[in-house]
Amino acid sequence: MSLKTPKGTTDLNPDDALVYEDLIDRTKNIFKLHGAVPIDTPVFELKSILLNKYGEDTKLIYDLKNNGGEECALRYDLTVPFSRYMSMNKLKKIKRYQIGKVYRRDQPSVVQGRWREFLQADFDIAGESLPMMADSELVCCMNRLLKTYNIGDFVIRVSDKRILYGIFEVCEIPNNLFATVSSSIDKLDKIAVNDINKELKLKGLTDKQIINLNIYIQKSGTVDVLDFLRENDVYKKCSEAVDDLCKLYEYCKIMKCSDHLIIDLSLARGLDYYTGMIIEGKYLNKNIGSVAGGGRYDNLIGSLENSSYTNTYNVPCAGFSIGLSRIFSCIQKPKVNTNVKVFISASGKLLLEERLKIQSILWEANISLETFYNKRNNPGEHKKYCVKHGIKYLIVVKEEQYNKGFVTVIEVNTNLENVIMIDNLPSHLQ
Amino acid sequence: MSLKTPKGTTDLNPDDALVYEDLIDRTKNIFKLHGAVPIDTPVFELKSILLNKYGEDTKLIYDLKNNGGEECALRYDLTVPFSRYMSMNKLKKIKRYQIGKVYRRDQPSVVQGRWREFLQADFDIAGESLPMMADSELVCCMNRLLKTYNIGDFVIRVSDKRILYGIFEVCEIPNNLFATVSSSIDKLDKIAVNDINKELKLKGLTDKQIINLNIYIQKSGTVDVLDFLRENDVYKKCSEAVDDLCKLYEYCKIMKCSDHLIIDLSLARGLDYYTGMIIEGKYLNKNIGSVAGGGRYDNLIGSLENSSYTNTYNVPCAGFSIGLSRIFSCIQKPKVNTNVKVFISASGKLLLEERLKIQSILWEANISLETFYNKRNNPGEHKKYCVKHGIKYLIVVKEEQYNKGFVTVIEVNTNLENVIMIDNLPSHLQ
């Protein structure tokens, strides 16, 4: 029998799983700080709900076998299930987070932390919002997260789908090429501009269109980019979006989260459903691409609507995902990582019942511990185990001492040895 | 488009998701108290690994469509993936927990908390162990969990597969019927004994065999059952198992977890892989069947072994699962359940930038908050929102006050109103 995990998936050993637990807790705490509440959705959805959402990537969806029931597929992200949840319950407003695994039948890359099963943490603000109020909170929240993970310097790049399309119009790129040109530009972060230009030519753009386009998509900065846009023909096409982006920058300055913010006109975001502000976060010293991404998607929830209901239901929405599997791949792993405070050893005899008794006392006092189940009552070995796993105290049970109501407690770091009355163990070990 | 979750699956709304988060935390803390470490495995496994593990229930496994790759299926439990993990890494010893969703294409029952996708929490002790040292810790840990959930009185029923087979031998039931007779007896908890007997007759047992069997499987108690077994013919067939069960009871008494313990000879546990002690926990006042179950499975890990490796690898193992979805279905839900401490309202104007500024100050001080994004600056409405969601403080930003460096803070419960200097907000709201 082939003993492995399916292609592109992996186990987490205890050290890694503890790092993940910590990563999830820290992420969750920041979402909660921002007043978000959790929801959960199934790992698989009706296939019909996932169709026409992911452009060319629809082919990466994992389908379930249909045994005479519904056509189902593993979720590709958490955004579409969230939108389905909103629409199904006809909710008007929520700030929610969701942390869960998503599935993409992509080419895996272990080095880059790119898996077929990976963990995402999503933060979305659904409901009516004055321009950039919700959007700027996304920047603020993403900024706080990327700082918290303590991986190194990072940038948060923002732009707006409306500006991108405004640029396309000014460059006289035909409407029907918008999507495919977007997805080429989206790769500018990974692929050299010359190669992108070759690709654009293959996709049918003229040299003039490409030259014009290059003027825009190489602009990246802060107020200078906003000034450039304001004085450019693009402003006529999408003045509202440009003004919004200015406002976003202002709001971020007020909330002290503009230090890492870059307005980057090459930002494109591949997915079909974005309608306004788009955002991506990445660490500068790590070669793993973006670790967070999202944007505004004002029509997705409405587009899912059950047509038997009124036609007017829609909820504007903006949010982002953090790729926790990617964050994990570049996070500093702690050297020892244990939950356990005490190891109970025995000297001379095995002293099973005596150890069970002490176990029971310490558990009642909420002190985490391990003992040994086999016949090897070797306090020396157990001491080494404690050192290796960062366990603070080694208790050695000795028959004679025990019968008088005492055990030996060794503080592993200092080798300090004390004989402690069993009744006093909980307070001694707290 | 059909806006629903697939059959037998469900979403969690924020109230429920927060209850689940709490349930998971409490469960995890008890596992950690017992010195367990987490692992994680993929949601789907190679199909070959899941075959021949679940008896008749193999048909309930969800398969993935195979697009020219491997045959995969959603995990049916966490025990087999854990065993695969052990065997793949040739580990000899671990005490691990894992909390994750599992998948069974069963007939769902919302009332009983029986879903096709449901959350399990597993605790397993793998590695060499003196008789009943690990097994008694399972009782101790399950006892602590069932107490923690605070749902009501409960029992933990234990028996041993070896004793069950000893009983079958004494009743002269042929070997080839052991599995199917086991699965009938397993239902004694839900189905009247007369109906079980009818089923046994249909399965080919004689009246005499059934009458004999009934003498045993209706025995349930504590020391009295052990005494009965010791004086009975069964003892000759499986003296070691009976002695082990006595020892288990002794150890549990030492660890003060014998109060809810029942030795119940009708306990059978359906799955193929149990080899020794078996265990089930249930609440007495709830009509939802067992909420926890497990046992010793000393051969499963070895049986998965890759035959290209040495043939001697095996690890004895015992553990149990808690059905957290079932626990959830009968847990007391808190009335208000919020993470949020502060709501920032505004009076007169919208005061967007002023609110962003205050937001930023409070977030820096790690105070969770919400504000409003729309045009409805109605402190009265916002107060009602705070009451409904258990938010402690309502800040009302007023232009004139703000310009002097102050805001109004209302303590929602008491209606106590204070004008607070903005710089002092963090300390006032801590």
Side-chain angles (χ1 to χ4, degrees), chain A residues 227-273:
Chain A
D227 291 344
F228 164 82
L229 284 171
R230 278 222 170 103
E231 289 154 16
N232 190 283
D233 285 347
V234 169
Y235 192 64
K236 289 177 208 145
K237 303 284 182 191
C238 55
S239 60
E240 200 184 331
V242 175
D243 292 345
D244 279 352
L245 213 49
C246 293
K247 201 171 275 170
L248 179 76
Y249 192 71
E250 270 314 301
Y251 288 174
C252 288
K253 276 209 312 216
I254 292 172
M255 291 194 286
K256 294 185 175 143
C257 58
S258 63
D259 286 357
H260 303 269
L261 193 61
I262 288 176
I263 293 159
D264 185 332
L265 300 186
S266 76
L267 191 64
R269 302 289 301 153
L271 300 182
D272 295 348
Y273 48 64

Coordinates of all heavy atoms in Angstrom, one line a residue, chain A residues 227-273:
Chain A
D227 N -1.1 62.1 -8.2 CA -0.9 63.4 -8.9 C -0.8 63.1 -10.4 O -1.5 63.7 -11.2 CB 0.4 64.1 -8.5 CG 0.3 64.7 -7.1 OD1 -0.9 64.7 -6.6 OD2 1.3 65.0 -6.5
F228 N -0.1 62.1 -10.8 CA 0.1 61.7 -12.2 C -1.3 61.3 -12.8 O -1.7 61.8 -13.8 CB 1.0 60.4 -12.3 CG 0.9 59.7 -13.6 CD1 1.6 60.2 -14.7 CD2 0.1 58.6 -13.7 CE1 1.5 59.5 -15.9 CE2 0.0 57.9 -14.9 CZ 0.7 58.3 -16.0
L229 N -2.1 60.6 -12.0 CA -3.4 60.1 -12.5 C -4.3 61.4 -12.7 O -5.1 61.5 -13.7 CB -4.1 59.1 -11.6 CG -3.5 57.7 -11.6 CD1 -4.1 56.9 -10.5 CD2 -3.8 57.0 -12.9
R230 N -4.3 62.2 -11.7 CA -5.2 63.4 -11.7 C -4.9 64.3 -13.0 O -5.8 64.9 -13.5 CB -4.9 64.2 -10.5 CG -5.7 63.7 -9.3 CD -6.3 64.9 -8.5 NE -7.2 64.4 -7.5 CZ -6.9 64.4 -6.2 NH1 -5.8 64.7 -5.8 NH2 -7.9 64.0 -5.3
E231 N -3.6 64.3 -13.4 CA -3.3 65.2 -14.5 C -3.3 64.5 -15.8 O -2.9 65.0 -16.9 CB -1.9 65.8 -14.3 CG -1.8 66.8 -13.1 CD -0.5 66.9 -12.5 OE1 0.5 66.4 -13.0 OE2 -0.4 67.4 -11.3
N232 N -3.8 63.2 -15.8 CA -3.7 62.4 -17.0 C -5.1 62.2 -17.6 O -6.1 62.4 -16.9 CB -3.1 61.0 -16.6 CG -2.8 60.2 -17.8 OD1 -3.7 59.6 -18.4 ND2 -1.5 60.1 -18.1
D233 N -5.1 61.8 -18.9 CA -6.4 61.5 -19.5 C -7.3 60.5 -18.8 O -8.5 60.4 -18.9 CB -6.2 61.0 -20.9 CG -5.7 62.1 -21.9 OD1 -5.9 63.3 -21.4 OD2 -5.3 61.8 -23.0
V234 N -6.6 59.6 -18.0 CA -7.3 58.5 -17.3 C -8.3 59.1 -16.4 O -9.4 58.6 -16.1 CB -6.3 57.7 -16.5 CG1 -7.0 56.8 -15.5 CG2 -5.4 56.8 -17.5
Y235 N -8.0 60.3 -15.8 CA -8.8 60.9 -14.8 C -10.2 61.2 -15.4 O -11.2 61.0 -14.7 CB -8.2 62.3 -14.3 CG -8.9 62.8 -13.1 CD1 -8.9 62.1 -11.9 CD2 -9.6 64.0 -13.2 CE1 -9.6 62.6 -10.8 CE2 -10.3 64.5 -12.0 CZ -10.3 63.8 -10.8 OH -10.9 64.3 -9.7
K236 N -10.3 61.5 -16.7 CA -11.6 61.7 -17.3 C -12.5 60.4 -17.3 O -13.7 60.4 -17.2 CB -11.5 62.2 -18.7 CG -11.0 63.6 -18.8 CD -10.8 64.0 -20.3 CE -9.7 65.1 -20.4 NZ -8.9 64.9 -21.6
K237 N -11.8 59.3 -17.5 CA -12.5 58.0 -17.6 C -12.9 57.5 -16.2 O -13.9 56.8 -16.1 CB -11.5 57.0 -18.2 CG -11.0 57.3 -19.5 CD -12.0 57.1 -20.6 CE -11.4 57.4 -22.0 NZ -12.4 57.5 -23.0
C238 N -12.2 57.8 -15.1 CA -12.5 57.2 -13.8 C -12.1 58.2 -12.7 O -11.4 57.8 -11.8 CB -11.8 55.9 -13.7 SG -10.0 56.0 -13.9
S239 N -12.7 59.4 -12.8 CA -12.3 60.4 -11.8 C -12.7 59.9 -10.4 O -12.0 60.1 -9.4 CB -13.0 61.7 -12.1 OG -14.4 61.6 -12.1
E240 N -13.9 59.2 -10.3 CA -14.4 58.8 -9.0 C -13.4 57.8 -8.3 O -13.1 57.9 -7.1 CB -15.8 58.2 -9.1 CG -16.6 58.1 -7.8 CD -17.9 57.4 -8.0 OE1 -18.4 57.4 -9.2 OE2 -18.3 56.7 -7.1
A241 N -12.9 56.9 -9.1 CA -12.0 55.9 -8.6 C -10.7 56.5 -8.1 O -10.1 56.2 -7.1 CB -11.7 54.8 -9.7
V242 N -10.2 57.5 -8.9 CA -9.0 58.2 -8.5 C -9.2 59.0 -7.3 O -8.3 58.9 -6.3 CB -8.5 59.1 -9.7 CG1 -7.2 59.9 -9.2 CG2 -8.1 58.3 -10.9
D243 N -10.3 59.7 -7.2 CA -10.6 60.4 -5.9 C -10.7 59.5 -4.7 O -10.3 59.8 -3.6 CB -11.9 61.2 -6.1 CG -11.7 62.4 -7.1 OD1 -10.6 62.7 -7.4 OD2 -12.8 62.9 -7.5
D244 N -11.3 58.3 -5.0 CA -11.4 57.3 -3.9 C -10.1 56.8 -3.4 O -9.8 56.7 -2.2 CB -12.2 56.1 -4.4 CG -13.7 56.3 -4.4 OD1 -14.2 57.3 -3.8 OD2 -14.5 55.4 -4.9
L245 N -9.2 56.6 -4.4 CA -7.8 56.2 -4.0 C -7.1 57.2 -3.2 O -6.4 56.9 -2.3 CB -7.1 55.8 -5.3 CG -6.0 54.7 -5.3 CD1 -6.6 53.5 -4.6 CD2 -5.5 54.4 -6.7
C246 N -7.3 58.5 -3.6 CA -6.8 59.6 -2.7 C -7.3 59.5 -1.3 O -6.6 59.7 -0.3 CB -7.1 61.0 -3.3 SG -6.3 61.3 -4.9
K247 N -8.6 59.3 -1.3 CA -9.3 59.3 0.0 C -8.7 58.1 0.8 O -8.4 58.2 2.0 CB -10.8 59.1 -0.2 CG -11.6 59.5 1.0 CD -13.1 59.5 0.6 CE -13.5 60.8 0.0 NZ -14.9 60.8 -0.6
L248 N -8.6 56.9 0.2 CA -8.0 55.8 0.8 C -6.7 56.1 1.5 O -6.4 55.7 2.6 CB -7.9 54.6 -0.2 CG -7.3 53.3 0.4 CD1 -8.3 52.6 1.2 CD2 -6.7 52.4 -0.7
Y249 N -5.8 56.8 0.7 CA -4.5 57.1 1.2 C -4.6 58.0 2.4 O -3.9 57.8 3.4 CB -3.7 57.7 0.0 CG -2.2 57.9 0.4 CD1 -1.4 56.7 0.4 CD2 -1.7 59.1 0.7 CE1 -0.1 56.8 0.8 CE2 -0.3 59.2 1.0 CZ 0.5 58.1 1.1 OH 1.8 58.1 1.4
E250 N -5.5 59.0 2.3 CA -5.7 59.9 3.4 C -6.1 59.2 4.7 O -5.6 59.3 5.8 CB -6.8 60.9 3.1 CG -6.4 62.2 2.4 CD -5.1 62.8 3.1 OE1 -5.3 63.1 4.3 OE2 -4.1 62.9 2.5
Y251 N -7.1 58.3 4.5 CA -7.7 57.6 5.7 C -6.6 56.7 6.3 O -6.5 56.5 7.5 CB -8.9 56.7 5.3 CG -10.1 57.5 5.0 CD1 -11.3 56.8 4.4 CD2 -10.2 58.8 5.2 CE1 -12.4 57.5 4.2 CE2 -11.4 59.5 4.9 CZ -12.5 58.9 4.4 OH -13.6 59.5 4.1
C252 N -5.8 56.1 5.4 CA -4.7 55.2 5.9 C -3.7 56.0 6.7 O -3.1 55.6 7.7 CB -4.0 54.4 4.8 SG -5.1 53.2 4.2
K253 N -3.4 57.3 6.3 CA -2.5 58.1 7.0 C -3.1 58.4 8.4 O -2.4 58.3 9.4 CB -2.3 59.4 6.2 CG -1.2 59.3 5.2 CD -0.4 60.6 4.9 CE -1.3 61.8 4.7 NZ -0.7 62.7 3.7
I254 N -4.4 58.7 8.5 CA -5.0 59.0 9.8 C -4.9 57.7 10.7 O -4.6 57.9 11.9 CB -6.5 59.3 9.6 CG1 -6.6 60.7 8.9 CG2 -7.3 59.3 10.9 CD1 -8.1 61.0 8.5
M255 N -5.1 56.6 10.1 CA -5.0 55.3 10.9 C -3.6 54.8 11.0 O -3.4 53.7 11.5 CB -6.0 54.3 10.3 CG -7.4 54.7 10.5 SD -8.5 53.3 10.2 CE -8.4 53.1 8.4
K256 N -2.6 55.6 10.6 CA -1.2 55.2 10.8 C -0.9 53.9 10.1 O -0.1 53.1 10.7 CB -0.8 55.2 12.2 CG -0.9 56.6 12.8 CD -0.4 56.6 14.3 CE -0.3 58.0 14.8 NZ -0.7 58.1 16.2
C257 N -1.5 53.6 9.0 CA -1.1 52.4 8.3 C -0.7 52.7 6.9 O -1.0 51.8 6.0 CB -2.3 51.4 8.4 SG -3.8 52.0 7.7
S258 N -0.2 53.8 6.6 CA 0.2 54.2 5.3 C 1.7 54.0 5.0 O 2.2 54.1 3.9 CB -0.1 55.7 5.0 OG 0.6 56.5 5.8
D259 N 2.5 53.6 6.0 CA 3.9 53.5 5.9 C 4.3 52.5 4.8 O 5.3 52.6 4.1 CB 4.6 53.2 7.2 CG 4.6 54.4 8.1 OD1 4.2 55.5 7.7 OD2 5.1 54.2 9.3
H260 N 3.6 51.4 4.8 CA 3.9 50.3 3.9 C 3.1 50.3 2.6 O 3.1 49.4 1.8 CB 3.8 48.9 4.6 CG 4.6 48.8 5.8 ND1 5.8 48.3 5.8 CD2 4.3 49.2 7.1 CE1 6.3 48.4 7.1 NE2 5.4 48.9 7.9
L261 N 2.2 51.4 2.5 CA 1.2 51.4 1.4 C 1.8 51.9 0.1 O 2.5 53.0 0.1 CB 0.1 52.3 1.8 CG -1.2 52.2 1.0 CD1 -1.8 50.8 1.1 CD2 -2.2 53.3 1.5
I262 N 1.6 51.2 -1.0 CA 2.1 51.7 -2.3 C 0.9 51.6 -3.3 O 0.1 50.7 -3.3 CB 3.2 50.7 -2.8 CG1 4.5 51.0 -2.0 CG2 3.4 50.9 -4.3 CD1 5.6 50.0 -2.4
I263 N 0.8 52.7 -4.0 CA -0.3 52.7 -5.1 C 0.5 52.2 -6.3 O 1.4 52.8 -6.8 CB -0.8 54.1 -5.3 CG1 -1.6 54.4 -4.0 CG2 -1.7 54.2 -6.5 CD1 -1.9 55.9 -3.8
D264 N 0.0 51.1 -6.9 CA 0.7 50.4 -7.9 C -0.2 50.1 -9.0 O -1.1 49.2 -8.9 CB 1.3 49.1 -7.3 CG 2.2 48.4 -8.3 OD1 2.0 48.5 -9.5 OD2 3.1 47.7 -7.8
L265 N 0.0 50.8 -10.2 CA -1.0 50.6 -11.3 C -0.8 49.3 -12.0 O -1.6 49.0 -12.9 CB -0.8 51.8 -12.2 CG -1.1 53.2 -11.6 CD1 -1.1 54.3 -12.6 CD2 -2.4 53.2 -10.8
S266 N 0.2 48.5 -11.7 CA 0.3 47.2 -12.3 C -0.5 46.2 -11.6 O -0.7 45.0 -12.1 CB 1.8 46.8 -12.3 OG 2.2 46.3 -11.0
L267 N -1.0 46.5 -10.5 CA -1.8 45.5 -9.7 C -3.1 45.2 -10.5 O -3.8 46.2 -10.9 CB -2.2 46.1 -8.3 CG -2.8 45.2 -7.3 CD1 -1.8 44.1 -7.0 CD2 -3.2 45.9 -6.1
A268 N -3.4 44.0 -10.7 CA -4.6 43.6 -11.6 C -5.5 42.6 -10.9 O -6.7 42.7 -11.1 CB -4.1 43.1 -12.9
R269 N -5.0 41.7 -10.1 CA -5.9 40.7 -9.4 C -6.7 39.9 -10.5 O -7.5 40.4 -11.2 CB -6.9 41.3 -8.4 CG -6.3 42.0 -7.3 CD -5.5 41.2 -6.3 NE -6.3 40.2 -5.6 CZ -5.8 39.1 -5.1 NH1 -4.5 38.9 -5.2 NH2 -6.5 38.2 -4.5
G270 N -6.4 38.6 -10.6 CA -6.9 37.8 -11.7 C -8.4 37.6 -11.7 O -9.1 37.5 -12.7
L271 N -9.0 37.5 -10.5 CA -10.4 36.9 -10.4 C -11.5 37.9 -11.0 O -11.3 39.1 -11.1 CB -10.8 36.7 -8.9 CG -9.9 35.6 -8.3 CD1 -10.3 35.4 -6.9 CD2 -9.9 34.3 -9.1
D272 N -12.6 37.2 -11.4 CA -13.6 37.9 -12.2 C -14.4 38.9 -11.4 O -15.0 39.9 -11.9 CB -14.6 36.9 -12.8 CG -14.0 36.0 -13.8 OD1 -12.8 36.3 -14.2 OD2 -14.6 35.0 -14.1
Y273 N -14.5 38.7 -10.1 CA -15.5 39.4 -9.4 C -15.2 40.8 -8.7 O -16.0 41.4 -8.2 CB -16.2 38.5 -8.3 CG -15.2 37.7 -7.4 CD1 -14.4 38.4 -6.5 CD2 -15.2 36.3 -7.4 CE1 -13.6 37.7 -5.6 CE2 -14.4 35.6 -6.5 CZ -13.6 36.3 -5.7 OH -12.7 35.6 -4.8

